[in-house]
Amino acid sequence: MENLLEIDNLTFSRSGRVLYDDISLRIVKGKTTAIMGPSGIGKTTMLRLIGGQLKPDSGDIRFKGESIQDMSRNRLFTVRRQMSMLFQSGALFTDMTVYDNIAFPLREHTKLSESVIKTIVLLKLQAVGLRGAAHLMPAELSGGMARRAALARAIALDPELIMYDEPFGGQDPISMGVLVKLIKALNDALQLTSIVVTHDVTEVLTIADYIYILAEKKVIGSGTPEQIKQSDSPLVQQFLNGEADGPVPFHYPADKLENAFLGVK
Amino acid sequence: MQWLADIGHNTIDTVRSFGRAFLMLVGAIIAKPQLIKNTPLTIKQIYVVGVQSLLIIIVSGLFIGMVMALQGYTILVDYGAEGSLGPMVALSLLRELGPVVTALLFAGRAGSALTAEIGLMKATEQLSSLEMMAVDPLRRVVAPRLWAGIISMPMLALIFSAVGILGGHIVGVDWLGVDAGSYWSIMQSSVDWDKDIVNGIIKTFVFAFVITWIAIFKGYDSIPTSEGISKATTETVVFSSLAVLGLDFILTALMFGIE
Amino acid sequence: MSSRKVEIMVGLFVVLTIAAGLLLALKVVNQGMSSNTDSYTLYAKFDNIGGLKARSAVKVGGVTVGRVDSISLDPDGYTPVVALKISQKYTKFPETSSVSILTSGLLGEQYVGFQPGFSIDGIADLAEGDYISDTKSALVLEDLIGQFLFSKND
């Protein structure tokens, strides 16, 4: 199987805090890969590293065999047209309608005529079920609709790689179901390669082909959903079952409570 | 020792932010301007920062002209010099009040809005999203706003001065009975195109550039939280007002100080 | 916001600015002598120029015919030299003309009063770069008071 994206020995730290320590990932072409982990381990940062918005301290991130951190700005911009990212908030441009939002990447990067753009935009909107909302402003959409509109924008240029940043976060069960179905359908129909960053275990297990679990700056488990479920790593099991305490401690590192009260240093 | 470290820390921070501000400017306007693509965006921003500030500028200009005529008249009439009302109103508007008051109003009205808008675009990941769509936010978002500010504010200042002179006419001539002929003709004999009007316009261009730069940089560099944006907006108004007043002194000394 | 409305409003903004600019250019700013309209330069040496400044008016019988272009000190005699820019509309002043530094009103600003001399045959007209020899300096109030006091003592 061909790897679209390869991450080797990545180390990254921000404001003095190490987020990743020597981790390696493989994203297989045409598959959906999930990156999971507890909050605050910098899952979004991983997507920004892949998109070239941040540079790793050491290690290598290769997109189609080409190292992203070594690219010139122009080359990076060219490569980014083949990838696309769905932000947690949707990040629709608030000063234009849904229609213009989706037409935006087409108008920026192609020389298509307005009538062709109209066809493409309406098709993409139809795919996410929002053709009727084309004339609305982003502020008039619900959270779930905004995310679907953003998804339509993300696929406007038919990218090869699409990155979802917490696509299910803060959604009601119906919107969540719609999004799960959409991501799955898009993946199958367009032969997209997807990276889903999330901590929603159950949804991910249904759509992912391969899962990486990050915690404590390392990859603590990886494999297909079946393999992950049967993992004997206590860390993985704690994460899957949502146990409050375990290898990932409930308490933020601190000295003993007695000491804090008694003033012992 | 702590205070020494604090001074050093603050100095380094300040120098760094100047560096970032300069890089932003370079990225936005110096490197490869995209004229054809940016013109419609710039026109839209001229609407936002210029046209929407028009009302406050006209109203303030009118009242400031009227107040100056009223104040000036009561002083000048004691010396029988109420004929000099015209040049007094015109010169103070063209040289000082037009550029400075417009700049302060512009900083409050348009500068703060620019900071808040760009800060929010950052907070809602719109800027990141542009980056990921392979569109440079410096050119797409920053450059049109910068140009719009630099173009709009001198226009506003010109309108402000003209309206102020008309306001002075309303109070001085129509109410207080200064002779209309002397209002205009003495004004004409003492206002000079190069010295007064052109220098005033140069001032407004400098102010426009500084205010817009500060406003956009503060938004672009803000911490993307509601607290960070509110701090950035306040800083925009405070810093650009101080910068305008300081620069005004320097420019006035350079232009009018040495005869 | 439709882009048409934006365009109309921006157009209105531009028109307003032009109107303001025209008002300033036509009604407010002084015309004719403001910039490099056709003019020629005459020079005059004074003992004392008082409060005369560059851009003060040059008047013939109350009519402004030019402006003071610059004031400098003649390095030889340490006397002030005043360059007068006279409008090309007013030429043919005879060489016997005189200039004096006068004050408009009791507290007004100082200007150069220009008295055309008699033109008789054999006397040329003043031309670009000529020096006017007949000059009267500014009246300095302190000197006048001094003279008045001394004359009383006599």
Side-chain angles (χ1 to χ4, degrees), chain B residues 10-114:
Chain B
N10 287 338
T11 313
I12 292 169
D13 269 5
T14 313
V15 171
R16 275 201 181 139
S17 65
F18 270 112
R20 286 198 303 276
F22 187 71
L23 283 178
M24 185 198 81
L25 191 69
V26 170
I29 54 174
I30 297 171
K32 205 172 97 189
Q34 295 170 302
L35 274 184
I36 300 150
K37 230 178 205 174
N38 274 349
T39 310
L41 292 172
T42 309
I43 288 179
K44 193 173 172 217
Q45 289 306 320
I46 290 179
Y47 177 80
V48 174
V49 299
V51 176
Q52 293 190 346
S53 310
L54 207 49
L55 189 66
I56 185 173
I57 291 292
I58 290 178
V59 171
S60 326
L62 191 68
F63 279 114
I64 284 183
M66 286 164 71
V67 166
M68 274 207 314
L70 206 55
Q71 290 278 13
Y73 181 82
T74 53
I75 296 168
L76 290 173
V77 78
D78 288 347
Y79 302 94
E82 66 268 27
S84 303
L85 192 63
M88 192 207 89
V89 171
L91 286 179
S92 33
L93 275 171
L94 289 169
R95 287 185 180 179
E96 282 301 324
L97 290 176
V100 172
V101 176
T102 310
L104 295 179
L105 291 172
F106 187 77
R109 166 68 185 74
S112 58
L114 278 177

Side-chain angles (χ1 to χ4, degrees), chain A residues 159-177:
Chain A
E160 293 184 41
L161 171 68
I162 179 160
M163 295 181 268
Y164 301 90
D165 185 5
E166 297 283 3
F168 314 116
Q171 297 293 314
D172 63 78
I174 300 175
S175 317
M176 210 184 255

Side-chain angles (χ1 to χ4, degrees), chain C residues 44 46 48 52 57-59 84 98-103 110-115 132 134-139:
Chain C
F46 292 92
N48 192 323
L52 196 71
V58 178
K59 293 182 179 180
L84 308 171
S98 66
V99 285
S100 45
I101 295 174
L102 304 171
T103 308
Q110 292 190 295
Y111 65 96
V112 177
F114 190 105
Q115 274 94 37
I132 301 166
D134 188 0
T135 63
K136 287 188 200 75
S137 290
L139 289 175

Side-chain angles (χ1 to χ4, degrees), chain A residues 20 25 27 32-38 41-48 50 85-86 88 147 162-169 183 194-200 204 207 212 214:
Chain A
Y20 310 122
L25 304 177
I27 310 293
T32 302
T33 308
I35 299 174
M36 305 177 69
I41 56 141
K43 297 187 293 290
T44 308
T45 309
M46 176 63 80
L47 297 186
R48 286 181 195 270
I50 295 172
M85 183 158 165
L86 183 69
Q88 202 166 346
R147 221 165 279 187
I162 179 160
M163 295 181 268
Y164 301 90
D165 185 5
E166 297 283 3
F168 314 116
I183 293 175
S194 310
I195 303 175
V196 182
V197 157
T198 182
H199 46 233
D200 289 292
V204 160
I207 57 169
Y212 286 96
L214 297 184

Side-chain angles (χ1 to χ4, degrees), chain A:
Chain A
M1 271 191 292
E2 195 188 341
N3 290 332
L4 187 68
L5 194 80
E6 294 165 325
I7 299 177
D8 280 328
N9 310 104
L10 171 73
T11 302
F12 182 75
S13 57
R14 193 159 52 183
S15 15
R17 197 165 72 99
V18 179
L19 285 178
Y20 310 122
D21 184 14
D22 193 26
I23 63 174
S24 300
L25 304 177
R26 293 280 177 277
I27 310 293
V28 179
K29 199 176 163 104
K31 300 281 179 200
T32 302
T33 308
I35 299 174
M36 305 177 69
S39 314
I41 56 141
K43 297 187 293 290
T44 308
T45 309
M46 176 63 80
L47 297 186
R48 286 181 195 270
L49 281 163
I50 295 172
Q53 289 189 330
L54 298 171
K55 292 219 183 301
D57 298 343
S58 69
D60 201 9
I61 302 172
R62 287 187 307 277
F63 181 77
K64 292 185 178 174
E66 196 178 353
S67 189
I68 284 182
Q69 68 268 32
D70 297 339
M71 285 178 189
S72 70
R73 197 171 165 76
N74 280 338
R75 178 74 193 132
L76 185 62
F77 270 46
T78 320
V79 168
R80 276 187 194 158
R81 291 181 201 181
Q82 302 165 34
M83 31 171 117
S84 170
M85 183 158 165
L86 183 69
F87 284 87
Q88 202 166 346
S89 60
L92 291 171
F93 302 125
T94 40
D95 57 343
M96 22 177 136
T97 61
V98 170
Y99 178 93
D100 288 330
N101 259 290
I102 293 154
F104 180 83
L106 296 165
R107 288 180 182 146
E108 278 296 320
H109 292 310
T110 66
K111 291 191 166 57
L112 299 174
S113 69
E114 274 302 310
S115 63
V116 178
I117 288 179
K118 187 175 180 187
T119 315
I120 299 176
V121 172
L122 291 182
L123 281 174
K124 303 290 176 190
L125 277 172
Q126 179 72 23
V128 297
L130 287 179
R131 195 163 50 82
H135 61 280
L136 294 180
M137 296 302 279
E140 299 170 287
L141 301 179
S142 72
M145 281 158 80
R147 221 165 279 187
R148 275 149 70 190
L151 183 56
R153 185 178 67 181
I155 57 170
L157 279 175
D158 293 323
E160 293 184 41
L161 171 68
I162 179 160
M163 295 181 268
Y164 301 90
D165 185 5
E166 297 283 3
F168 314 116
Q171 297 293 314
D172 63 78
I174 300 175
S175 317
M176 210 184 255
V178 169
L179 282 164
V180 168
K181 177 176 162 284
L182 266 177
I183 293 175
K184 214 172 175 151
L186 286 173
N187 235 48
D188 296 344
L190 302 172
Q191 297 298 306
L192 286 171
T193 310
S194 310
I195 303 175
V196 182
V197 157
T198 182
H199 46 233
D200 289 292
V201 177
T202 39
E203 283 73 26
V204 160
L205 291 177
T206 62
I207 57 169
D209 296 309
Y210 202 83
I211 297 175
Y212 286 96
I213 299 181
L214 297 184
E216 316 262 278
K217 307 163 198 167
K218 297 275 190 195
V219 176
I220 57 164
S222 67
T224 60
E226 288 309 310
Q227 289 168 328
I228 289 282
K229 275 182 208 160
Q230 275 136 39
S231 163
D232 49 7
S233 155
L235 262 171
V236 173
Q237 285 306 327
Q238 186 201 356
F239 187 75
L240 289 184
N241 300 326
E243 288 153 11
D245 210 352
V248 176
F250 170 71
H251 288 289
Y252 191 83
D255 59 352
K256 280 184 183 163
L257 186 65
E258 303 91 276
N259 293 354
F261 282 148
L262 297 173
V264 182
K265 290 271 168 176

Side-chain angles (χ1 to χ4, degrees), chain B residues 47 155 188 191-193, chain C residues 9 17 27-30 55:
Chain B
Y47 177 80
M155 293 166 75
Q188 281 184 10
V191 177
D192 186 71
W193 179 264
Chain C
M9 293 304 282
T17 310
K27 284 282 262 188
V28 174
V29 96
N30 84 63
R55 294 187 350 94

